[in-house]
Structures are given as C-alpha cells and as structure tokens.
C-alpha cells in the first residue's frame, strides 16, 4: 500500500471516528466496537441510518469524494445541485448536508467501496461504470446511480461479478 493511500485511510478513519462520536451523542446510540473505521462505518446499517438523519459534514463528504472515481460535476448531478452550490457549501463553516444528499453520498461510498474491491482498481471500476451493461438493460451502471433502486441494481451486479456470475 502506498504512503498516500495509507495516509488517506488514516485521515478518513480519523474523520469517521470524530463524526461517529457526535452521532452517538446526538442519537443516543452506542457502538459496541469503538474501534470504528471507514470500512466498518459503511457496513454498520444502524449507524448509517443515524448518520443520514444527522447529516454528513462537508469535511467527511470531501474525504469520501476523494476515494471515489466520480468527478465534481458527476457528484453535483448525483446530489441534484450545481457544482457552484457544492463550492459554496465548502466555503461555509461547519456545513452539514441534509438527510437526502447525505444518504446519496453514503450510497455512492458503498458502491465505490464494493466496486474497487471487485475490480481491484478505481480505474477499472470507473471503466465498468461507463460501459453499457446487457445485464442492466444496456444502460451504463453510472446512469443508474442517481436513485436508490438503480444503486441496488448496480450493487447486485457487482456482487454477481464478484461471485463470477456473468450474463
């Protein structure tokens, strides 16, 4: 693992730990495993629910964004805002996304984590996202990531690929 990736892991794990401590306090929710990491965060469904309801801080979104293959205009499209709005949010001190964009950010983080795991690289995953898929009605997987049902279809396809089931 390169130093850059390792540093990125430490940075996002630290940000997640700080954010989760606020979620625990606000939602009166207690984690059993206090050694929370980004990967554990994405796999804890109840914690995700509380996080969505609280809203994600821009700083955490920015770290998640750096771990995904999506460009800024794609993020704006997924979140239903302009790139200018994203820049404005970045400049606001202590900005938190509302629940709906927070949910979308976490969904894309989940898809990305699985996709990179399945394809072994961000580049290969991004290439797959941008190629029409027969299994997905000849749509590009990236086109389906705009809504929750499409995201589930993409995740299911990634699970199938991971298991060696190709259509």
């Amino acid at each position: 693992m390169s130093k850059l990736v390792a540093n990125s892991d430490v940075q996002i794990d630290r940000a997640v730990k700080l954010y989760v401590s606020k979620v625990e306090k606000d939602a009166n929710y207690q984690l059993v495993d206090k050694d929370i990491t980004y990967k554990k965060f994405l796999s804890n469904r109840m914690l995700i629910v509380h996080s969505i309801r609280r809203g994600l801080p821009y700083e955490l979104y920015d770290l998640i964004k750096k771990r995904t293959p999506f460009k800024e205009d794609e993020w704006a499209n997924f979140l239903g805002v302009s790139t200018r709005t994203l820049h404005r949010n970045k400049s606001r001190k202590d900005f938190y996304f509302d629940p709906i964009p927070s949910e979308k950010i976490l969904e894309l983080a989940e898809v990305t984590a699985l996709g990179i795991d399945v394809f072994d690289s961000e580049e290969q995953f991004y290439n797959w996202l941008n190629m029409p898929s027969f299994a997905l009605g000849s749509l590009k997987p990236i086109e389906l990531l705009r809504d929750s049902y499409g995201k589930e279809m993409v995740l299911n396809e990634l699970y199938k690929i991971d298991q060696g089931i190709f259509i």
Side-chain angles (χ1 to χ4, degrees):
M1 181 184 317
S2 73
K3 282 186 178 181
L4 185 62
V5 172
N7 188 35
S8 172
D9 287 346
V10 169
Q11 197 176 19
I12 199 163
D13 287 347
R14 189 177 305 136
V16 164
K17 201 171 278 197
L18 178 65
Y19 174 67
V20 166
S21 69
K22 293 176 184 176
V23 170
E24 284 183 301
K25 187 177 176 183
D26 289 352
N28 199 22
Y29 174 72
Q30 295 299 310
L31 282 175
V32 174
D33 181 6
K34 295 296 183 185
D35 186 31
I36 191 78
T37 63
Y38 177 64
K39 190 173 184 171
K40 289 178 184 177
F41 172 68
L42 290 178
S43 65
N44 185 326
R45 295 298 195 199
M46 189 55 70
L47 181 55
I48 292 292
V49 167
H50 289 297
S51 298
I52 288 168
R53 291 176 180 174
R54 185 179 200 283
L56 287 179
Y58 191 92
E59 295 80 25
L60 186 54
Y61 155 74
D62 202 36
L63 291 169
I64 290 170
K65 183 175 78 169
K66 290 175 184 171
R67 297 181 74 87
T68 69
F70 308 117
K71 300 173 185 89
E72 184 126 21
D73 60 324
E74 291 170 326
W75 271 106
N77 188 25
F78 292 139
L79 298 177
V81 298
S82 68
T83 54
R84 194 170 160 178
T85 298
L86 284 177
H87 289 286
R88 200 171 29 253
N89 294 344
K90 183 178 185 174
S91 66
R92 290 174 51 194
K93 185 175 173 20
D94 296 329
F95 176 80
Y96 278 76
F97 286 92
D98 288 333
I100 292 174
S102 294
E103 183 172 15
K104 180 54 65 181
I105 292 164
L106 293 172
E107 286 178 343
L108 293 168
E110 178 185 16
V111 169
T112 298
L114 178 60
I116 292 172
D117 193 40
V118 167
F119 286 99
D120 295 326
S121 84
E122 185 178 298
E123 184 179 341
Q124 288 177 345
F125 171 55
Y126 192 71
N127 288 338
W128 177 80
L129 281 173
N130 285 287
M131 290 180 49
S133 171
F134 179 75
L136 297 172
S138 297
L139 292 173
K140 296 176 185 175
I142 199 167
E143 295 171 340
L144 293 168
L145 294 179
R146 293 194 64 200
D147 52 63
S148 295
Y149 285 103
K151 179 217 67 157
E152 288 300 320
M153 292 171 69
V154 170
L155 282 175
N156 287 335
E157 192 60 24
L158 285 169
Y159 288 127
K160 288 176 185 176
I161 291 169
D162 193 39
Q163 298 298 314
I165 302 170
F166 298 99
I167 294 178

